[in-house]
């Protein structure tokens, strides 16, 4: 079994409860179990995790996601600590620890700053009991809050690290294709992302930001940079090891020949 460098992107929609505005700890526990299994199989794992805003809503007294940017940033400032504490509490049970990295897109646009980010990431990965967990620094930056739910950030980190695989976990089992008969099928493989954009539906949860189009644009950036991608359901993280091994249910985006 060959070791792979894997980026896992967790969106807000799979980290929050479906019935109220707070972190779904049972779901997060399952995601951590899947991370631990990948580590057991000797893979290198980096997580790009949304969820800071949703984690801060309850503490800030909100029952739904606010609309103004300053309040969103305040929720993220409160929620980021709660989110990392929850990750750490579950990872500790597997002998693992969190290495938190908060980034802005400006950190990756400057070559000098990007190299510093990469150096820190590589140093964290030398500690095999540490899982780097990356989020946009929402308390000072707003791009992901407005547009992408960390989809774009996950692709940029994958390119920086030269990952072997980027897996975007979302609330649906993959890219869906509605047939004339009314049935819906999962598209198993997409060789040209541009040709698949018409299948994307901008359906978002009340606590999520990015839709399928955002994910496909991130995938497009990654595959053009030589990194294959998968979009799959984050509600079934037990199949993560299978996805890495070439099976499992999801949509695969191979690197163009």
């Amino acid at each position: 079994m060959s070791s792979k460098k894997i980026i896992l992107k967790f969106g807000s929609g799979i980290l929050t409860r479906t019935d109220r505005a707070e972190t779904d700890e049972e779901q997060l526990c399952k995601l951590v179990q899947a991370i631990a299994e990948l580590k057991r199989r000797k893979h290198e794992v980096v997580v790009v995790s949304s969820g800071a805003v949703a984690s801060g809503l309850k503490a800030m007294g909100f029952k739904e996601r606010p609309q103004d940017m300053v309040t969103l940033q305040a929720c993220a400032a409160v929620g980021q600590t709660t989110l990392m504490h929850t990750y750490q509490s579950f990872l500790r049970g597997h002998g693992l620890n969190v290495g938190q990295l908060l980034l802005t897109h400006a950190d990756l646009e400057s070559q000098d700053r990007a190299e510093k980010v990469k150096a820190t990431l590589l140093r964290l990965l030398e500690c095999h009991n540490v899982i780097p967990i990356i989020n946009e620094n929402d308390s000072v930056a707003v791009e992901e809050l407005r547009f992408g739910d960390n989809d774009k950030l996950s692709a940029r980190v994958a390119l920086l690290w030269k990952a072997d695989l980027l897996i975007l976990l979302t609330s649906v089992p993959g890219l869906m294709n509605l047939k004339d008969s009314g049935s819906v099928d999962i598209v198993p493989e997409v060789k040209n992302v541009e040709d698949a954009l018409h299948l994307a539906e901008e359906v978002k949860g009340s606590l999520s930001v990015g839709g399928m189009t955002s994910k496909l644009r991130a995938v497009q950036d990654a595959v053009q940079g030589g990194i294959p991608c998968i979009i799959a359901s984050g509600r079934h993280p037990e199949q993560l090891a299978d996805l890495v091994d070439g099976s499992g249910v999801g949509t695969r985006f191979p690197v163009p020949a």
Side-chain angles (χ1 to χ4, degrees):
M1 183 186 303
S2 60
S3 173
K4 292 183 179 178
K5 297 161 62 178
I6 302 165
I7 297 275
L8 302 176
K9 186 265 175 177
F10 301 159
S12 300
I14 66 165
L15 293 171
T16 53
R17 295 180 61 93
T18 57
D19 58 342
R20 57 184 182 269
E22 60 184 69
T23 302
D24 187 340
E25 294 195 5
E26 182 178 350
Q27 167 69 7
L28 198 146
C29 181
K30 292 178 181 178
L31 290 165
V32 167
Q33 288 174 346
I35 292 169
E37 176 60 21
L38 292 178
K39 290 292 291 181
R40 190 187 68 79
R41 297 184 183 211
K42 307 302 182 185
H43 297 300
E44 292 185 89
V45 180
V46 172
V47 175
V48 176
S49 175
S50 301
V53 171
S55 294
L57 293 178
K58 184 177 180 180
M60 294 284 287
F62 294 102
K63 293 184 178 180
E64 58 185 33
R65 184 184 174 95
Q67 298 300 311
D68 69 286
M69 191 57 61
V70 174
T71 304
L72 284 172
Q73 290 176 294
C75 287
V78 173
Q80 185 65 28
T81 58
T82 303
L83 183 63
M84 289 302 107
H85 175 76
T86 308
Y87 270 117
Q88 180 60 51
S89 66
F90 289 131
L91 284 167
R92 188 181 294 117
H94 300 279
L96 299 169
N97 297 286
V98 169
Q100 177 184 254
L101 284 174
L102 294 178
L103 303 177
T104 68
H105 284 270
D107 293 323
L108 302 177
E109 287 167 359
S110 160
Q111 183 175 352
D112 181 60
R113 289 165 70 177
E115 286 300 319
K116 287 181 171 62
V117 170
K118 184 177 180 180
T120 301
L121 181 61
L122 293 177
R123 185 64 185 88
L124 287 171
L125 289 164
E126 289 176 9
C127 301
H128 297 296
N129 66 334
V130 171
I131 303 297
I133 299 183
I134 299 171
N135 194 359
E136 189 192 40
N137 192 353
D138 291 327
S139 62
V140 298
V142 299
E143 183 167 351
E144 296 296 348
L145 285 176
R146 284 177 172 160
F147 303 117
D149 202 29
N150 278 328
D151 296 318
K152 181 178 179 180
L153 183 64
S154 68
R156 297 186 73 173
V157 173
L159 291 166
L160 179 69
W161 186 33
K162 295 182 172 58
D164 297 312
L165 181 64
L166 168 60
I167 303 178
L168 295 97
L169 295 181
T170 184
S171 56
V172 294
L175 183 64
M176 312 302 288
N177 184 17
L178 177 62
K179 295 194 169 184
D180 293 337
S181 63
S183 63
V184 179
D185 292 339
I186 301 171
V187 179
E189 183 178 270
V190 172
K191 294 183 178 179
N192 187 320
V193 177
E194 199 69 36
D195 292 343
L197 285 171
H198 71 283
L199 297 176
E201 294 186 16
E202 285 302 325
V203 177
K204 307 171 187 177
S206 60
L207 297 173
S208 61
V209 178
M212 187 58 74
T213 297
S214 169
K215 289 166 182 57
L216 289 179
R217 289 300 187 192
V219 164
Q220 190 172 43
D221 290 344
V223 296
Q224 287 177 350
I227 299 169
C229 300
I230 302 171
I231 295 177
S233 173
R235 292 291 171 182
H236 297 283
E238 69 278 357
Q239 69 158 343
L240 263 176
D242 292 333
L243 288 169
V244 172
D245 289 342
S247 58
V249 177
T251 303
R252 293 180 180 273
F253 300 83
V255 174

